[in-house]
Amino acid sequence: MNRVYNFSAGPSMLPLPVLERAQAEMLSYEGSGQSVLEMSHRSKVYDAIIVSVQEKLRKVMNIPDNYKVLFVQGGASTQFAAVPMNLMTKNKKADYIVTGQFSGKAQKEAMIYGEASIAASSKEANFTYIPSQDELKLNADADYVHICFNNTIFGSKFNYIPETGDVPLVADMSSCILSEPVDVTKYGVIYAGAQKNMAPAGLTVVIVREDLIGETLAGTPTMLKYSTMAENDSMYNTPPCYCIYMLGLVLDWIEEIGGLSEMKKINENKAKMLYDFIDESKLFSNPIRKDCRSMMNVTFVTGDKELDDKFCKEAAAAGFVNIKGHRSVGGMRASIYNAMPTEGVEKLVEFMKKFEAENAK
Ligand SMILES: *Cc1c(COP(=O)(O)O)cnc(C)c1O
């Protein structure tokens, strides 16, 4: 069987041992005579799965007891609305740090519900850096501060956690969750679509501090209230059963590797290999300020659109797929999430070297 190296930004690769285990358990899960795809979410056997996955996530991410873990649907994009609906309840104000497309969308969505101020933005520099703490114009009476910790499209990442005093910090971690340890206590809410680093598309994970669960804006749908999901252990309605099961397998795989600190070492090494090569290359360059580079999404360009297209085409033919940059920015992007083996990055660098030699001007 021939598997490609898939550099997609999401949905993205899943670890091969996870897929193999899912395959082995596909037709009859633990002797139940049914697939997890088929079983009732109210059955005893499924209840054991969802309870254990939540426990595993708490253990792997070291989530304190005063936080709830919610398994919801609608993607990270639905959280762009759910966050203000659940948190913009005191002063109807929030601060948004806009560092890319998704944080821009989140800010725009929040404007529907209240005053969503832009505390800082790197838009004027085409999102090639993350504003520093000194550059943030934070309002003391904001209900929360929102950031996107890793910018999937531009390939940048916060290299610090903004200090927001008593104002809760909300982070979209869709494209970096489980890539390294996180100090959950620094955040009021962490949310992430699963399809980058956790599981197949269809599941969204929300980690929310208990004291932030309560009143919501008038008109908030029952399904979008954190209280609904918290009170019903994410079982108010049918959860994305299979995705949750897959998250459990991914968490087992991370634990086998040695947890998030080991995961981080592997990820740092992969990213370093790619950035080191790009930095010494005469053909490829990376537009992001060095201290703000993403560990998960590595963007690069040749400076010549036709050559970029040629690169993507030849890369795909050689088994490196989905390496084209986001349609809004062009160039190339190699998403190297947890599941991308080190070998895949080594081989990509070899391929880039060869392409450079053949196409040097
Ligand atoms: C992919 C992504 C989103 C959008 O996620 P959906 O699940 O498709 O709604 C939002 N934010 C970030 C940082 C992402 O990487």
Side-chain angles (χ1 to χ4, degrees):
M1 182 194 33
N2 245 352
R3 281 182 52 84
V4 293
Y5 291 113
N6 177 8
F7 292 88
S8 169
S12 45
M13 286 183 84
L14 285 160
L16 189 58
V18 165
L19 293 176
E20 284 168 343
R21 195 172 147 199
Q23 183 182 42
E25 294 177 349
M26 175 59 74
L27 299 186
S28 176
Y29 175 76
E30 288 192 349
S32 66
Q34 345 159 35
S35 170
V36 179
L37 285 166
E38 305 168 297
M39 55 184 57
S40 162
H41 63 294
R42 306 279 177 206
S43 62
K44 241 185 172 162
V45 53
Y46 189 76
D47 190 63
I49 294 176
I50 193 168
V51 167
S52 77
V53 175
Q54 162 151 189
E55 277 168 7
K56 281 178 208 170
L57 185 65
R58 286 184 170 281
K59 182 158 167 247
V60 167
M61 284 189 70
N62 197 17
I63 301 172
D65 288 342
N66 63 325
Y67 285 75
K68 292 281 188 201
V69 173
L70 315 178
F71 296 134
V72 302
Q73 301 191 51
S77 303
T78 298
Q79 291 307 309
F80 297 168
V83 165
M85 286 177 149
N86 283 277
L87 300 189
M88 240 188 212
T89 49
K90 291 193 190 99
N91 299 321
K92 292 203 168 36
K93 281 182 181 178
D95 288 333
Y96 279 72
I97 306 176
V98 176
T99 53
Q101 214 172 86
F102 289 119
S103 46
K105 281 185 173 172
Q107 186 269 338
K108 224 173 138 201
E109 186 79 9
M111 289 288 285
I112 299 172
Y113 305 101
E115 201 179 313
S117 311
I118 298 178
S121 167
S122 50
K123 189 164 185 224
E124 88 291 345
N126 200 26
F127 299 121
T128 48
Y129 74 99
I130 302 287
S132 64
Q133 177 80 43
D134 297 345
E135 294 170 86
L136 309 180
K137 290 195 192 70
L138 299 176
N139 293 301
D141 61 347
D143 290 333
Y144 62 91
V145 177
H146 181 279
I147 61 171
C148 177
F149 204 77
N150 181 75
N151 297 282
T152 324
I153 293 175
F154 294 90
S156 68
K157 181 194 170 199
F158 273 79
N159 60 13
Y160 71 102
I161 301 174
E163 183 50 64
T164 58
D166 291 336
V167 180
L169 182 61
V170 176
D172 176 355
M173 290 201 183
S174 294
S175 52
C176 57
I177 196 160
L178 301 182
S179 67
E180 60 182 342
V182 173
D183 183 354
V184 175
T185 64
K186 299 269 197 259
Y187 300 88
V189 179
I190 293 171
Y191 66 89
Q195 70 273 22
K196 277 79 186 234
N197 230 357
M198 302 187 111
L203 166 68
T204 307
V205 172
V206 179
I207 300 164
V208 50
R209 215 174 61 210
E210 270 169 359
D211 61 285
L212 299 173
I213 302 174
E215 283 307 298
T216 55
L217 293 183
T220 300
T222 307
M223 279 292 292
L224 294 193
K225 291 181 181 173
Y226 292 157
S227 57
T228 305
M229 290 297 159
E231 284 158 17
N232 292 280
D233 298 319
S234 303
M235 284 275 216
Y236 175 76
N237 72 328
T238 317
C241 300
Y242 197 76
C243 294
I244 292 168
Y245 156 79
M246 287 295 285
L247 172 58
L249 302 195
V250 167
L251 291 166
D252 285 346
W253 175 78
I254 290 174
E255 284 210 291
E256 260 165 48
I257 284 175
L260 292 185
S261 49
E262 277 310 306
M263 204 73 248
K264 180 183 186 182
K265 281 185 207 158
I266 296 167
N267 286 329
E268 276 177 339
N269 176 50
K270 285 189 295 185
K272 185 176 185 309
M273 267 196 292
L274 205 41
Y275 284 123
D276 281 354
F277 168 68
I278 290 169
D279 286 343
E280 67 186 33
S281 165
K282 292 196 172 58
L283 182 64
F284 300 105
S285 63
N286 166 271
I288 304 300
R289 206 175 75 191
K290 273 192 184 171
D291 63 333
C292 310
R293 285 172 164 178
S294 168
M295 183 165 68
M296 296 280 100
N297 311 96
V298 179
T299 50
F300 53 99
V301 293
T302 64
D304 174 345
K305 204 188 156 297
E306 272 173 32
L307 205 52
D308 286 353
D309 290 345
K310 186 174 179 221
F311 178 85
C312 293
K313 225 170 125 189
E314 290 183 12
F320 307 101
V321 305
N322 292 317
I323 212 151
K324 200 170 154 58
H326 189 269
R327 59 189 186 280
S328 64
V329 294
M332 279 75 75
R333 171 178 51 174
S335 294
I336 49 173
Y337 298 120
N338 288 352
M340 172 59 66
T342 301
E343 181 199 71
V345 179
E346 282 166 357
K347 290 197 170 157
L348 175 65
V349 170
E350 267 171 48
F351 176 81
M352 288 169 75
K353 276 185 186 158
K354 184 168 149 281
F355 186 88
E356 179 168 345
E358 287 167 2
N359 294 275
K361 287 182 187 148

